[in-house]
Amino acid sequence: MPVFVKKVFLWGSVAFLIYFVAFRPDSAAQMCKAIGAGLMAMAVGIGDFLTGVMT
């Protein structure tokens, strides 16, 4: 992918993130909580897997 296209996508994503947080802070907070909960669930699953492998 050309560098210009990557820069356009990057800056577009940053602009959308700023807009989302500025105009819908409650939705942005809920989205962050959901992402955090998903990451925690994955970490717990990996921990359970490693515990099962070690025992």
Side-chain angles (χ1 to χ4, degrees):
M1 188 180 307
V3 175
F4 177 74
V5 175
K6 287 182 183 179
K7 285 185 181 182
V8 168
F9 281 130
L10 175 68
W11 286 110
S13 299
V14 169
F16 177 74
L17 181 64
I18 291 170
Y19 173 81
F20 190 59
V21 170
F23 291 103
R24 297 193 181 266
D26 294 333
S27 298
Q30 290 298 324
M31 186 176 68
C32 288
K33 286 180 185 178
I35 290 170
L39 291 173
M40 281 300 296
M42 284 191 264
V44 169
I46 291 171
D48 291 345
F49 169 75
L50 293 175
T51 301
V53 169
M54 297 296 177
T55 57

